[in-house]
Amino acid sequence: KVAPGRKADVHGLKGAAQYNGCEGIVIEGPNDKGRWEVQVDYQCETKTLSLLESNLQPKPSCGWELVIAPIGLGIKETDVSQALTPHGRVRHVKMTNPPGVCLVEMALKEGAEAAFN
């Protein structure tokens, strides 16, 4: 799934075909035109592209995952993210449905270990 902070491969571009095959990081989106802002490295420069989801192939995450349970009903994903940020970069936080469990992806092993301890 395309989401801010996730890596994705660019493909299917016709007007800017030189970026096909590049790996990028989704910065934000989608905007009101359904486009995602994606940063790619191309010829030793970082470029920001505005791409449709159909031109992005999300890459599997290589982060460190934590499962936090039980989580109180009033706790939000933003609360969990803010609590873990001092330990390292938080890539993704997702509450389960039914509630009670939170899935967290940290960027680095050290951050995940610090959050766990």
Side-chain angles (χ1 to χ4, degrees):
K1 180 179 173 186
V2 175
R6 300 287 309 265
K7 289 185 179 182
D9 287 330
V10 177
H11 67 91
L13 299 179
K14 293 181 178 41
Q18 70 270 23
Y19 298 113
N20 289 333
C22 289
E23 177 182 272
I25 297 176
V26 179
I27 303 303
E28 64 182 1
N31 64 20
D32 58 344
K33 295 180 181 179
R35 294 182 176 270
W36 296 81
E37 297 296 312
V38 181
Q39 282 187 344
V40 298
D41 288 327
Y42 181 74
Q43 293 185 343
C44 300
E45 289 187 38
T46 300
K47 303 280 186 180
T48 301
L49 308 176
S50 185
L51 303 173
L52 294 170
E53 187 169 356
S54 61
N55 295 117
L56 297 170
Q57 176 61 50
K59 297 186 88 159
S61 171
C62 294
W64 293 83
E65 296 179 348
L66 301 171
V67 177
I68 303 171
I71 291 285
L73 294 178
I75 305 292
K76 299 177 188 150
E77 291 171 349
T78 54
D79 298 329
V80 174
S81 180
Q82 289 173 355
L84 296 178
T85 296
H87 302 291
R89 188 162 69 89
V90 177
R91 283 190 176 169
H92 187 72
V93 177
K94 178 72 176 164
M95 294 292 208
T96 61
N97 190 13
V101 177
C102 184
L103 308 174
V104 179
E105 181 184 351
M106 303 286 291
L108 300 173
K109 177 182 178 183
E110 295 78 13
E113 288 173 339
F116 185 71
N117 293 324

